Amino acid sequence: MPKIFSPGRINIIGEHTDYSYGYVMPMAINLGNYLEYVPYDKISLRSDAYNEEIELDLSMINKKQNKWIDYILGIYNALFELNLKPGGIKGRIYGNLPISSGLSSSASLELAILVALNNSYNLKLNKLQLALIGKKAENDFVGVPSGILDQFAVTFGKKGFAIFLDTETLSYEYIPFPKDISVIVYNTGVKRELAKTGYADRKKIVEDSLRILNKNSSKEIIEKDLEKLDPLYRKRMGYIIRENNRVINAKEALKKNNLELLGKLLIESHNDIAKNYEVSSKELDFIVETSMKYGALGARLTGAGFGGSAIILALRDKAEKIAESVHKEYIKVFEYKSFYNIVESNDGANIIEN
Ligand code: GLA
Protein backbone atom coordinates (compact mmCIF):
# COMPACT_ATOMS: atom_id res chain seq x y z
CA MET A 1 0.00 0.00 0.00
CA PRO A 2 1.50 3.40 -0.95
CA LYS A 3 2.45 5.61 1.96
CA ILE A 4 3.15 9.34 1.91
CA PHE A 5 4.83 11.52 4.50
CA SER A 6 3.94 15.18 4.33
CA PRO A 7 5.77 17.40 6.82
CA GLY A 8 4.76 20.48 8.77
CA ARG A 9 7.02 23.50 8.68
CA ILE A 10 8.56 26.14 10.85
CA ASN A 11 9.44 29.54 9.53
CA ILE A 12 12.88 30.54 10.72
CA ILE A 13 12.41 34.17 9.75
CA GLY A 14 10.40 36.28 7.27
CA GLU A 15 7.00 36.41 8.93
CA HIS A 16 3.93 37.95 7.30
CA THR A 17 6.09 38.94 4.34
CA ASP A 18 4.76 36.43 1.81
CA TYR A 19 1.50 38.22 0.92
CA SER A 20 3.47 41.31 -0.09
CA TYR A 21 5.82 39.12 -2.16
CA GLY A 22 8.83 39.53 0.10
CA TYR A 23 11.38 37.04 1.45
CA VAL A 24 10.80 34.07 3.77
CA MET A 25 13.03 31.33 5.17
CA PRO A 26 11.07 28.26 6.24
CA MET A 27 12.19 24.69 6.91
CA ALA A 28 10.12 21.51 6.65
CA ILE A 29 10.21 19.46 9.87
CA ASN A 30 9.96 15.85 10.94
CA LEU A 31 6.49 16.29 12.42
CA GLY A 32 3.80 15.71 9.83
CA ASN A 33 1.02 13.63 8.36
CA TYR A 34 1.27 10.08 7.05
CA LEU A 35 -1.21 8.95 4.44
CA GLU A 36 -1.64 5.26 3.61
CA TYR A 37 -3.97 4.82 0.70
CA VAL A 38 -5.20 2.92 -2.33
CA PRO A 39 -6.89 4.38 -5.42
CA TYR A 40 -10.67 4.01 -5.12
CA ASP A 41 -13.85 5.15 -6.86
CA LYS A 42 -14.87 7.54 -4.04
CA ILE A 43 -13.15 9.77 -1.51
CA SER A 44 -13.05 7.63 1.62
CA LEU A 45 -10.67 8.83 4.29
CA ARG A 46 -10.13 8.34 7.97
CA SER A 47 -8.37 11.00 10.04
CA ASP A 48 -6.96 9.73 13.32
CA ALA A 49 -6.49 13.29 14.60
CA TYR A 50 -10.19 14.04 14.17
CA ASN A 51 -11.20 10.45 14.91
CA GLU A 52 -13.54 10.48 11.97
CA GLU A 53 -14.09 8.59 8.74
CA ILE A 54 -15.72 10.39 5.81
CA GLU A 55 -16.86 8.89 2.52
CA LEU A 56 -18.05 11.09 -0.32
CA ASP A 57 -18.89 10.53 -3.92
CA LEU A 58 -16.68 12.39 -6.39
CA SER A 59 -19.77 14.30 -7.53
CA MET A 60 -19.78 15.94 -4.05
CA ILE A 61 -16.40 17.64 -4.26
CA ASN A 62 -17.80 21.15 -4.45
CA LYS A 63 -19.99 20.72 -1.35
CA LYS A 64 -18.14 22.28 1.54
CA GLN A 65 -18.47 20.21 4.74
CA ASN A 66 -16.91 22.69 7.19
CA LYS A 67 -14.62 19.93 8.39
CA TRP A 68 -11.06 18.71 7.81
CA ILE A 69 -12.16 16.98 4.60
CA ASP A 70 -12.54 20.46 3.03
CA TYR A 71 -8.75 20.61 2.56
CA ILE A 72 -9.04 17.48 0.44
CA LEU A 73 -12.12 18.68 -1.42
CA GLY A 74 -10.26 21.93 -2.08
CA ILE A 75 -7.48 19.96 -3.75
CA TYR A 76 -9.98 18.09 -5.93
CA ASN A 77 -11.67 21.35 -6.92
CA ALA A 78 -8.37 22.98 -7.84
CA LEU A 79 -7.40 19.93 -9.94
CA PHE A 80 -10.76 19.75 -11.70
CA GLU A 81 -10.48 23.45 -12.53
CA LEU A 82 -7.21 22.64 -14.27
CA ASN A 83 -9.03 19.93 -16.15
CA LEU A 84 -7.13 17.22 -14.33
CA LYS A 85 -9.61 14.63 -13.18
CA PRO A 86 -8.08 12.16 -10.74
CA GLY A 87 -10.20 9.32 -9.41
CA GLY A 88 -10.92 8.71 -5.74
CA ILE A 89 -8.83 7.59 -2.84
CA LYS A 90 -9.33 5.37 0.21
CA GLY A 91 -6.99 5.66 3.11
CA ARG A 92 -5.99 6.71 6.57
CA ILE A 93 -4.29 9.92 7.70
CA TYR A 94 -2.33 9.93 10.93
CA GLY A 95 0.75 11.53 12.36
CA ASN A 96 2.32 13.70 14.99
CA LEU A 97 1.77 17.25 13.78
CA PRO A 98 -0.32 19.27 16.22
CA ILE A 99 -3.33 20.94 14.57
CA SER A 100 -3.83 24.71 14.69
CA SER A 101 -0.44 25.34 16.25
CA GLY A 102 1.18 27.47 13.54
CA LEU A 103 3.06 24.55 11.95
CA SER A 104 0.99 24.32 8.73
CA SER A 105 -1.06 21.25 9.48
CA SER A 106 -3.46 22.30 6.71
CA ALA A 107 -0.77 22.61 4.02
CA SER A 108 0.64 19.28 5.19
CA LEU A 109 -2.73 17.61 4.69
CA GLU A 110 -3.27 19.25 1.29
CA LEU A 111 0.12 18.16 0.01
CA ALA A 112 -0.25 14.61 1.32
CA ILE A 113 -3.35 14.16 -0.84
CA LEU A 114 -1.86 15.95 -3.82
CA VAL A 115 1.27 13.81 -3.83
CA ALA A 116 -0.91 10.69 -3.59
CA LEU A 117 -3.14 11.73 -6.49
CA ASN A 118 -0.17 12.87 -8.55
CA ASN A 119 1.45 9.48 -8.00
CA SER A 120 -1.54 7.22 -8.56
CA TYR A 121 -3.30 9.08 -11.37
CA ASN A 122 -0.21 10.09 -13.28
CA LEU A 123 -1.00 13.81 -13.18
CA LYS A 124 2.63 14.72 -14.00
CA LEU A 125 2.62 17.80 -11.79
CA ASN A 126 5.98 19.22 -10.75
CA LYS A 127 6.75 20.51 -7.26
CA LEU A 128 5.98 24.13 -8.01
CA GLN A 129 2.62 23.19 -9.52
CA LEU A 130 1.86 21.08 -6.43
CA ALA A 131 2.63 23.99 -4.10
CA LEU A 132 0.51 26.41 -6.14
CA ILE A 133 -2.43 24.00 -6.31
CA GLY A 134 -2.20 23.55 -2.53
CA LYS A 135 -2.34 27.32 -2.07
CA LYS A 136 -5.28 27.59 -4.45
CA ALA A 137 -7.22 24.97 -2.45
CA GLU A 138 -6.57 26.88 0.75
CA ASN A 139 -7.44 30.31 -0.71
CA ASP A 140 -10.38 29.49 -2.96
CA PHE A 141 -12.12 26.55 -1.31
CA VAL A 142 -11.21 26.62 2.37
CA GLY A 143 -11.29 30.42 2.24
CA VAL A 144 -8.06 31.27 4.08
CA PRO A 145 -6.27 34.14 2.29
CA SER A 146 -2.74 32.87 3.02
CA GLY A 147 0.43 33.37 0.97
CA ILE A 148 2.68 30.69 -0.54
CA LEU A 149 4.96 30.16 2.48
CA ASP A 150 3.36 27.03 3.91
CA GLN A 151 2.70 25.02 0.76
CA PHE A 152 6.11 25.90 -0.66
CA ALA A 153 7.92 24.78 2.49
CA VAL A 154 5.91 21.57 2.77
CA THR A 155 6.61 20.74 -0.90
CA PHE A 156 10.23 21.86 -1.29
CA GLY A 157 11.59 20.92 2.15
CA LYS A 158 15.00 19.25 2.16
CA LYS A 159 16.64 17.43 5.03
CA GLY A 160 19.57 19.43 6.37
CA PHE A 161 18.48 22.70 4.74
CA ALA A 162 16.37 25.79 5.26
CA ILE A 163 14.80 27.37 2.17
CA PHE A 164 15.45 30.99 1.27
CA LEU A 165 12.52 31.96 -0.94
CA ASP A 166 11.64 35.06 -2.89
CA THR A 167 7.83 34.82 -2.82
CA GLU A 168 7.50 37.11 -5.84
CA THR A 169 9.68 35.28 -8.35
CA LEU A 170 9.46 31.94 -6.48
CA SER A 171 13.19 31.51 -6.97
CA TYR A 172 14.76 29.79 -4.00
CA GLU A 173 18.01 28.62 -2.54
CA TYR A 174 18.70 25.77 -0.15
CA ILE A 175 20.75 27.01 2.80
CA PRO A 176 22.53 24.36 4.90
CA PHE A 177 21.19 24.43 8.44
CA PRO A 178 23.97 24.05 11.04
CA LYS A 179 24.14 20.55 12.49
CA ASP A 180 25.01 21.83 15.93
CA ILE A 181 21.75 23.80 16.29
CA SER A 182 18.54 22.26 17.58
CA VAL A 183 15.15 23.79 16.99
CA ILE A 184 12.68 23.60 19.83
CA VAL A 185 9.07 24.23 18.87
CA TYR A 186 7.18 25.43 21.91
CA ASN A 187 3.43 25.27 21.53
CA THR A 188 1.64 27.86 23.68
CA GLY A 189 -1.51 25.74 23.86
CA VAL A 190 -3.49 28.88 23.02
CA LYS A 191 -6.20 28.39 20.40
CA ARG A 192 -5.64 30.81 17.56
CA GLU A 193 -9.08 32.41 17.72
CA LEU A 194 -8.05 35.84 16.57
CA ALA A 195 -5.99 34.46 13.74
CA LYS A 196 -8.65 34.65 11.08
CA THR A 197 -9.74 38.27 11.44
CA GLY A 198 -6.29 39.44 12.52
CA TYR A 199 -4.64 37.89 9.48
CA ALA A 200 -7.14 39.26 6.96
CA ASP A 201 -6.86 42.64 8.61
CA ARG A 202 -3.06 42.75 8.28
CA LYS A 203 -3.27 41.52 4.71
CA LYS A 204 -5.66 44.31 3.73
CA ILE A 205 -3.34 46.98 5.12
CA VAL A 206 -0.40 45.51 3.24
CA GLU A 207 -2.31 45.26 -0.04
CA ASP A 208 -3.63 48.82 0.31
CA SER A 209 -0.12 50.06 1.02
CA LEU A 210 1.30 48.39 -2.08
CA ARG A 211 -1.45 50.02 -4.11
CA ILE A 212 -0.92 53.47 -2.59
CA LEU A 213 2.83 53.25 -3.15
CA ASN A 214 2.36 51.70 -6.57
CA LYS A 215 4.68 48.75 -5.88
CA ASN A 216 4.38 45.10 -6.81
CA SER A 217 6.37 43.83 -3.87
CA SER A 218 7.44 44.95 -0.41
CA LYS A 219 11.03 44.33 -1.59
CA GLU A 220 10.78 47.54 -3.64
CA ILE A 221 9.69 49.72 -0.74
CA ILE A 222 12.29 51.86 1.01
CA GLU A 223 12.03 53.64 4.36
CA LYS A 224 11.39 57.01 2.69
CA ASP A 225 8.30 55.71 0.84
CA LEU A 226 6.65 55.12 4.20
CA GLU A 227 6.21 58.86 4.70
CA LYS A 228 3.37 58.70 2.18
CA LEU A 229 1.38 56.34 4.42
CA ASP A 230 -0.92 56.95 7.39
CA PRO A 231 0.63 56.17 10.80
CA LEU A 232 -0.84 52.68 11.26
CA TYR A 233 0.08 51.67 7.71
CA ARG A 234 3.56 53.13 8.18
CA LYS A 235 4.01 51.12 11.35
CA ARG A 236 2.94 47.84 9.72
CA MET A 237 4.93 48.35 6.51
CA GLY A 238 7.98 49.50 8.45
CA TYR A 239 8.05 46.08 10.09
CA ILE A 240 7.73 44.33 6.72
CA ILE A 241 10.62 46.11 5.03
CA ARG A 242 12.88 45.55 8.04
CA GLU A 243 11.84 41.89 8.13
CA ASN A 244 12.72 41.44 4.44
CA ASN A 245 16.21 42.75 5.22
CA ARG A 246 16.53 40.46 8.19
CA VAL A 247 15.77 37.42 6.01
CA ILE A 248 18.64 38.36 3.71
CA ASN A 249 20.92 38.92 6.71
CA ALA A 250 19.84 35.63 8.28
CA LYS A 251 20.70 33.81 5.07
CA GLU A 252 24.20 35.33 5.15
CA ALA A 253 24.56 34.53 8.87
CA LEU A 254 23.69 30.89 8.17
CA LYS A 255 26.15 30.71 5.29
CA LYS A 256 28.91 32.06 7.52
CA ASN A 257 27.79 29.87 10.41
CA ASN A 258 27.45 33.04 12.49
CA LEU A 259 25.04 31.64 15.05
CA GLU A 260 25.23 34.65 17.29
CA LEU A 261 24.07 36.96 14.51
CA LEU A 262 21.34 34.52 13.48
CA GLY A 263 20.03 34.46 17.05
CA LYS A 264 20.15 38.24 17.27
CA LEU A 265 18.12 38.57 14.05
CA LEU A 266 15.46 36.23 15.42
CA ILE A 267 15.11 38.30 18.56
CA GLU A 268 14.95 41.53 16.57
CA SER A 269 12.32 39.96 14.34
CA HIS A 270 10.23 38.91 17.32
CA ASN A 271 10.42 42.26 19.06
CA ASP A 272 9.56 44.10 15.87
CA ILE A 273 6.58 41.89 14.99
CA ALA A 274 5.30 42.18 18.57
CA LYS A 275 5.60 45.95 18.71
CA ASN A 276 4.82 47.05 15.17
CA TYR A 277 2.83 44.24 13.55
CA GLU A 278 1.03 43.29 16.76
CA VAL A 279 0.48 39.61 16.10
CA SER A 280 2.36 38.27 19.13
CA SER A 281 0.83 37.49 22.52
CA LYS A 282 1.96 37.59 26.11
CA GLU A 283 2.51 33.84 26.05
CA LEU A 284 4.76 34.01 22.97
CA ASP A 285 6.68 36.97 24.42
CA PHE A 286 7.14 35.03 27.65
CA ILE A 287 8.61 32.02 25.80
CA VAL A 288 11.03 34.20 23.86
CA GLU A 289 12.19 36.06 26.96
CA THR A 290 12.47 32.97 29.12
CA SER A 291 14.37 30.93 26.56
CA MET A 292 16.97 33.69 26.24
CA LYS A 293 17.31 33.74 30.02
CA TYR A 294 18.23 30.06 29.86
CA GLY A 295 20.84 30.46 27.14
CA ALA A 296 19.02 30.03 23.82
CA LEU A 297 20.70 31.48 20.71
CA GLY A 298 17.49 33.15 19.61
CA ALA A 299 13.73 32.70 19.59
CA ARG A 300 10.64 34.09 17.94
CA LEU A 301 7.04 33.33 17.16
CA THR A 302 6.63 31.20 14.04
CA GLY A 303 3.71 31.23 11.59
CA ALA A 304 0.82 33.66 11.74
CA GLY A 305 1.09 34.37 15.49
CA PHE A 306 -1.94 35.09 17.71
CA GLY A 307 -1.03 32.07 19.84
CA GLY A 308 0.33 29.00 18.10
CA SER A 309 4.02 28.24 18.51
CA ALA A 310 7.39 29.82 19.07
CA ILE A 311 10.70 28.45 17.83
CA ILE A 312 13.74 28.44 20.05
CA LEU A 313 17.21 27.89 18.54
CA ALA A 314 19.74 26.35 20.88
CA LEU A 315 23.05 24.55 20.72
CA ARG A 316 22.29 20.87 20.43
CA ASP A 317 23.76 19.86 23.77
CA LYS A 318 21.80 22.56 25.61
CA ALA A 319 18.44 22.20 23.87
CA GLU A 320 16.73 19.66 26.12
CA LYS A 321 17.69 21.56 29.28
CA ILE A 322 16.50 24.90 27.86
CA ALA A 323 13.22 23.38 26.67
CA GLU A 324 12.56 21.82 30.07
CA SER A 325 13.37 25.04 31.92
CA VAL A 326 11.12 27.14 29.66
CA HIS A 327 8.33 24.62 30.09
CA LYS A 328 8.63 24.64 33.87
CA GLU A 329 8.44 28.44 33.96
CA TYR A 330 5.59 28.61 31.44
CA ILE A 331 3.29 26.26 33.32
CA LYS A 332 3.87 28.23 36.51
CA VAL A 333 2.37 31.31 34.82
CA PHE A 334 -0.09 30.00 32.21
CA GLU A 335 -2.72 27.29 32.48
CA TYR A 336 -2.84 26.26 28.82
CA LYS A 337 -1.93 22.74 27.77
CA SER A 338 1.44 23.67 26.36
CA PHE A 339 4.10 21.27 25.12
CA TYR A 340 7.30 21.22 23.14
CA ASN A 341 9.07 19.19 20.47
CA ILE A 342 12.67 19.27 19.47
CA VAL A 343 12.44 18.99 15.70
CA GLU A 344 14.76 18.23 12.78
CA SER A 345 14.69 19.47 9.22
CA ASN A 346 12.99 17.16 6.77
CA ASP A 347 12.29 16.47 3.13
CA GLY A 348 9.09 17.81 1.58
CA ALA A 349 5.95 15.73 0.97
CA ASN A 350 6.89 12.51 -0.79
CA ILE A 351 6.20 8.82 -1.22
CA ILE A 352 7.99 6.80 1.41
CA GLU A 353 6.58 3.38 0.44
CA ASN A 354 5.04 2.37 -2.84
C1 GLA B 1 0.36 31.71 7.81
C2 GLA B 1 0.08 31.81 6.31
C3 GLA B 1 1.38 32.07 5.54
C4 GLA B 1 2.14 33.26 6.12
C5 GLA B 1 2.27 33.13 7.64
C6 GLA B 1 2.88 34.34 8.28
O1 GLA B 1 1.14 30.58 8.09
O2 GLA B 1 -0.51 30.62 5.85
O3 GLA B 1 1.09 32.27 4.17
O4 GLA B 1 1.54 34.47 5.77
O5 GLA B 1 1.01 32.88 8.26
O6 GLA B 1 4.21 34.48 7.89
Side-chain angles (χ1 to χ4, degrees), residues 123-159:
L123 304 181
K124 297 196 169 66
L125 295 164
N126 65 29
K127 279 193 181 183
L128 185 56
Q129 289 169 316
L130 294 178
L132 292 169
I133 291 169
K135 176 176 185 287
K136 189 171 165 52
E138 181 101 30
N139 294 165
D140 297 357
F141 193 78
V142 182
V144 178
S146 53
I148 190 67
L149 169 68
D150 304 347
Q151 287 82 10
F152 198 96
V154 169
T155 312
F156 283 83
K158 188 168 167 176
K159 196 168 173 49

Side-chain angles (χ1 to χ4, degrees), residues 9 11 14-19 104 144 146-150 199 303-304:
R9 65 100 189 89
N11 192 18
E15 215 66 81
H16 284 270
T17 46
D18 63 346
Y19 47 86
S104 291
V144 178
S146 53
I148 190 67
L149 169 68
D150 304 347
Y199 190 91

Side-chain angles (χ1 to χ4, degrees), residues 40 53 91 100 106 129 205 208 233:
Y40 193 57
E53 195 162 336
S100 240
S106 57
Q129 289 169 316
I205 290 184
D208 284 352
Y233 284 46

Side-chain angles (χ1 to χ4, degrees), residues 181-214:
I181 300 188
S182 285
V183 181
I184 304 156
V185 178
Y186 196 96
N187 189 310
T188 57
V190 180
K191 289 231 161 50
R192 300 187 310 146
E193 264 140 24
L194 264 175
K196 226 172 167 183
T197 46
Y199 190 91
D201 195 63
R202 300 301 181 285
K203 191 171 180 218
K204 186 176 180 314
I205 290 184
V206 168
E207 285 172 346
D208 284 352
S209 301
L210 287 176
R211 203 170 321 112
I212 295 166
L213 299 175
N214 196 20

